[in-house]
Amino acid sequence: MAYLYRFDVSIGEKNVIAVIYADDDEGAFQHLDVELEKFYLKEPDVNEITLREKKRIVKKSGFILDEDEKGW
Amino acid sequence: MAYVKQWAENEKLNKTEIAKLEKDGLKIIDDIPYYAENGFDSIPKEQWDLFKWAGLYLQRPKEDGYFMMRVNVPSGILTKPQVETLAGIAKDYGRGVFDITTRQAIQFHWLEIQQIPDIFKRLEAVGLSSAGACGDITRTIVGNPITGLDPDELFDTSAIVKEVYDYFQRNEDFSNLPRKYKLSISTNLKNASNAEINCASFTPAVKVIDGVEKKGFHLKVGGGLSARPYLAQTVDAFIDPERTLEVAIAVTTIFRDYGYREKRHLARLKFLIADWGVEKFKEKLEEFTGPLPSKGEEPVEEWNAGYFYGVHDQKQEGLKFLGFNVPVGRLDAEEVFELARISGKYGNGEIRTCNSQNLIIPNVPAEMVDELLAEPIFERVTINPNSFMGHAVSCTGIEYCNLALVETKERMRHVALELDNRIELDVPVRMHMVGCPNSCGQRQIADIGLQGMKVRNKEKQMIEAYEIYVGGTLNAGGQFNEKLKGKIPAEELNDVLVNLLQYFKAEKNAGESFFDFVQRVGIDTLQVQLDSILEPAAS
């Protein structure tokens, strides 16, 4: 069973929302590191990563990313 | 009685709906003997979801083949043979785990497919069933756990709950609803059934008709929590108790035939009510029932959140009912056997379950109360629990749930233990802990809600953390709690809560409830307070 994970990533002074596909929580955190390294030219100064929610991956799954209406 | 599935031709139906048209959920019950005979691997994956209609969910990880089973307990009323049967199932098949849910049902874990036929047989022999305990169907009916005993209820609802439950049980006319469907029926004046968070609720009402005061129900519709919570609204109608089943059928038929089936996340009755409004809903209802009298008065008292701790007079002279705390709703099978023995010895063998995940032993003669309370089991399952332990609720959490991010049941128990050791208040504070945003532990209506998440810090240490929500209630129609900013590491949770509650204790008026306090001082003040509590930890 795979899941879609929603993270809050605190980088320097800003917060980024990240969505990761993985089989388990630990794998999701590990792959988030990979994606962060791939995305930013310079290795980001990550203060904190928060796993907020996970959803089962069926044929369709997703999250809405809205700064003002985060749904929690 | 066959009916026409009016939605069948809709080309936009979601896939679950299409599957439900191909095979009614209740039909899985006929297939279970085959799967039991041939093992878990014989169950096609696409059939897994249908097991819900039999009251069965796969535990995490699903591939391991262990089931959770939920057993319906309408109005929370259990006889001695029923209690013993449930204890036997937990002992023989469920590793001894016996959970009372927030809708008065009983849940087992660790069941395997080959055990299910025998479990069904045992349940049926004592008039119990898990059919419809999960799935898109009428679930167990929540009711007043002290109905028939309650000196303060408007009238006894036990026969009404039974009539409505029996009608919908395994009724294929109503086993293909758009989504889960939760009913409550109670005339307890303290809203013990949490009416506002059910899809449809029958609540106590009186109305003078032709010069005579009639006792009956009001109807509230469209409530429900989960990630998008709604509070049920009152329909402008007065319902004669004799027409309860007729109205329940009408409400359920409207949901079945007009409820939304294209988008599963918008399919609960609450979304139809949010769109229609209760006026339009009443018009549709009256197409089924004919004109209904307008609503009367609601003789309600302060909400008791389903708590009944202590020794109380029954309406029957000389008899008492005793309300006990079950820490976070979990008992061991041996404890359940012992409770059945005690209830048989001192009472009439009945045990009642509460939606506060607690239990009641009724019908105890006043002169036998002291002897009963001297039984050793009541050192843990206590009649006068410490305040926090006595008002702590939690979802299942990461132990069994696929979507939970953190541990909840044991953590909530430890938090409550610690708070009881460190702080004493003149009012109870209801705390609910949940492990994800879906809120199975009813986080939104708690005085203090705790929602879990996983956090990895700069040093790459992984911790569990919680956010705090304050000020939920179901008094006066209800209000959901609001979030305070700030993540609390699990290991600091006790200290932070103690500090926050010490502030409450210092600033509150005598007898002021936590909800009233939050209303009086405001969220901003509490946020400032929480920030100052968190500051030393952050620096």
Side-chain angles (χ1 to χ4, degrees):
Chain A
M1 168 74 68
Y3 297 92
L4 201 60
Y5 290 84
R6 174 164 63 89
F7 288 94
D8 278 355
V9 186
S10 164
I11 301 175
E13 295 299 308
K14 67 178 177 180
N15 286 307
V16 175
I17 301 171
V19 175
I20 297 291
Y21 170 102
D23 287 336
D24 55 39
D25 299 3
E26 196 184 333
F29 273 97
Q30 284 171 358
H31 188 65
L32 174 60
D33 288 339
V34 173
E35 290 297 337
L36 286 168
E37 286 167 6
K38 279 160 54 177
F39 185 81
Y40 294 102
L41 286 174
K42 191 178 149 202
E43 190 177 336
D45 179 21
V46 176
N47 304 315
E48 189 179 83
I49 297 171
T50 304
L51 170 55
R52 289 278 180 180
E53 189 176 6
K54 67 178 181 184
K55 292 184 179 178
R56 284 186 201 95
I57 296 240
V58 277
K59 284 192 179 165
K60 296 171 188 171
S61 191
F63 291 110
I64 300 299
L65 313 179
D66 183 324
E67 278 301 302
D68 303 317
E69 188 69 45
K70 293 188 178 181
W72 55 75
Chain B
M1 185 178 68
Y3 68 101
V4 177
K5 294 183 174 66
Q6 299 172 15
W7 62 90
E9 303 307 316
N10 182 346
E11 290 177 359
K12 293 181 183 172
L13 287 181
N14 68 60
K15 287 195 172 154
T16 304
E17 287 300 330
I18 292 165
K20 281 156 46 179
L21 284 170
E22 286 166 3
K23 179 176 177 179
D24 188 272
L26 286 176
K27 297 287 187 206
I28 196 75
I29 295 170
D30 302 334
D31 298 339
I32 285 176
Y34 172 83
Y35 297 138
E37 190 75 21
N38 293 279
F40 180 69
D41 291 341
S42 71
I43 308 171
K45 266 194 177 183
E46 58 272 18
Q47 297 289 301
W48 284 3
D49 260 5
L50 292 180
F51 274 74
K52 293 176 187 170
W53 274 256
L56 292 157
Y57 268 96
L58 279 165
Q59 282 174 212
R60 65 186 287 271
K62 289 186 173 188
E63 288 75 9
D64 286 2
Y66 289 109
F67 289 92
M68 179 280 278
M69 174 185 275
R70 188 179 296 150
V71 178
N72 302 310
V73 187
S75 211
I77 302 173
L78 289 168
T79 63
K80 185 164 183 274
Q82 289 175 333
V83 176
E84 288 168 337
T85 297
L86 292 167
I89 293 167
K91 182 184 175 189
D92 295 343
Y93 298 127
R95 302 189 186 181
V97 178
F98 182 104
D99 283 343
I100 302 172
T101 76
T102 52
R103 295 192 78 249
Q104 299 176 293
I106 300 299
Q107 279 182 191
F108 305 118
H109 295 279
W110 303 112
L111 309 182
E112 296 175 55
I113 188 66
Q114 66 272 19
Q115 301 164 344
I116 304 300
D118 183 53
I119 293 172
F120 281 168
K121 207 180 296 174
R122 293 190 192 193
L123 291 173
E124 198 177 345
V126 291
L128 287 171
S129 166
S130 64
C134 315
D136 300 345
I137 191 167
T138 307
R139 305 288 186 87
T140 188
I141 297 175
V142 167
N144 179 7
I146 51 167
T147 189
L149 326 168
D150 184 356
D152 296 323
E153 75 180 336
L154 210 54
F155 52 87
D156 187 341
T157 46
S158 51
I160 296 172
V161 169
K162 186 174 183 321
E163 182 188 28
V164 176
Y165 172 79
D166 286 347
Y167 178 85
F168 285 108
Q169 178 66 193
R170 297 196 189 203
N171 184 335
E172 289 194 17
D173 280 356
F174 295 97
S175 57
N176 186 348
L177 301 179
R179 203 68 167 80
K180 66 173 84 169
Y181 177 62
K182 300 176 177 180
L183 282 176
S184 82
I185 301 172
S186 164
T187 65
N188 175 275
L189 300 181
K190 294 178 179 173
N191 190 16
S193 63
N194 295 346
E196 292 81 3
I197 60 171
N198 282 278
C199 300
S201 290
F202 292 84
T203 63
V206 293
K207 184 176 173 73
V208 176
I209 298 175
D210 300 330
V212 179
E213 187 182 84
K214 286 276 293 176
K215 293 175 179 176
F217 291 113
H218 278 173
L219 175 65
K220 294 181 194 293
V221 291
L225 293 179
S226 75
R228 284 184 64 184
Y230 285 82
L231 292 163
Q233 302 170 59
T234 307
V235 178
D236 185 14
F238 179 82
I239 296 156
D240 190 313
E242 286 162 13
R243 299 188 68 186
T244 313
L245 176 60
E246 178 195 352
V247 173
I249 292 170
V251 173
T252 313
T253 304
I254 293 169
F255 179 45
R256 184 191 69 193
D257 294 346
Y258 297 91
Y260 302 139
R261 292 175 183 266
E262 293 177 9
K263 296 172 180 172
R264 194 153 170 79
H265 60 285
L266 298 178
R268 293 274 305 266
L269 180 62
K270 61 189 179 183
F271 296 106
L272 183 70
I273 302 299
D275 284 352
W276 278 11
V278 284
E279 296 79 14
K280 180 173 173 180
F281 182 82
K282 187 191 174 189
E283 283 173 25
K284 185 58 73 180
L285 181 67
E286 288 184 325
E287 288 178 17
F288 292 87
T289 62
L292 293 166
S294 61
K295 64 183 178 186
E297 300 295 318
E298 297 188 359
V300 291
E301 299 173 9
E302 192 173 1
W303 179 48
N304 70 0
Y307 290 105
F308 294 93
Y309 297 138
V311 180
H312 305 274
D313 291 335
Q314 291 185 195
K315 64 170 76 161
Q316 296 83 4
E317 183 80 27
L319 291 180
K320 305 279 187 184
F321 72 89
L322 286 69
F324 292 93
N325 170 244
V326 178
V328 293
R330 177 158 294 171
L331 291 161
D332 176 76
E334 296 301 336
E335 289 180 315
V336 184
F337 277 121
E338 180 63 357
L339 289 164
R341 181 192 70 76
I342 289 168
S343 181
K345 179 177 175 186
Y346 300 95
N348 67 342
E350 263 184 36
I351 283 181
R352 310 273 183 111
T353 54
C354 307
N355 54 6
S356 54
Q357 299 181 299
N358 293 307
L359 63 86
I360 288 165
I361 298 182
N363 299 310
V364 178
E367 64 276 14
M368 296 184 81
V369 166
D370 288 345
E371 194 185 331
L372 181 152
L373 290 175
E375 294 277 359
I377 192 174
F378 298 127
E379 285 168 24
R380 187 180 96 83
V381 180
T382 174
I383 199 159
N384 52 354
N386 290 325
S387 186
F388 290 101
M389 186 60 83
H391 299 87
V393 172
S394 118
C395 69
T396 294
I398 203 165
E399 192 180 4
Y400 299 118
C401 173
N402 285 295
L403 299 181
L405 304 174
V406 297
E407 216 293 306
T408 54
K409 247 186 180 8
E410 268 306 287
R411 171 109 49 220
M412 184 71 256
R413 206 173 65 78
H414 282 292
V415 166
L417 270 174
E418 181 84 1
L419 291 176
D420 279 320
N421 283 334
R422 293 172 62 182
I423 191 161
E424 201 171 318
L425 297 168
D426 64 346
V427 290
V429 175
R430 296 175 300 102
M431 302 182 80
H432 291 211
M433 184 177 276
V434 294
C436 83
N438 293 311
S439 286
C440 299
Q442 303 174 343
R443 188 267 294 157
Q444 296 96 333
I445 61 170
D447 284 318
I448 296 180
L450 300 165
Q451 185 161 318
M453 60 205 65
K454 269 200 179 110
V455 177
R456 199 182 73 187
N457 64 17
K458 211 172 172 63
E459 289 73 41
K460 300 216 165 184
Q461 293 164 320
M462 190 84 81
I463 59 162
E464 295 191 348
Y466 294 84
E467 282 176 332
I468 296 180
Y469 293 72
V470 293
T473 185
L474 288 185
N475 255 332
Q479 189 172 315
F480 296 133
N481 49 27
E482 290 183 61
K483 185 167 91 169
L484 296 176
K485 290 179 196 136
K487 292 187 275 280
I488 324 293
E491 62 187 36
E492 291 168 27
L493 187 59
N494 291 349
D495 288 341
V496 169
L497 288 169
V498 166
N499 277 313
L500 196 63
L501 289 162
Q502 273 169 344
Y503 170 73
F504 168 57
K505 183 176 181 174
E507 299 296 322
K508 76 190 289 296
N509 298 322
E512 186 177 31
S513 70
F514 190 82
F515 175 79
D516 288 341
F517 177 76
V518 174
Q519 297 304 299
R520 179 167 63 80
V521 304
I523 289 289
D524 292 347
T525 305
L526 285 164
Q527 183 66 62
V528 169
Q529 195 58 33
L530 180 62
D531 291 346
S532 73
I533 294 167
L534 294 178
E535 227 165 52
S539 63

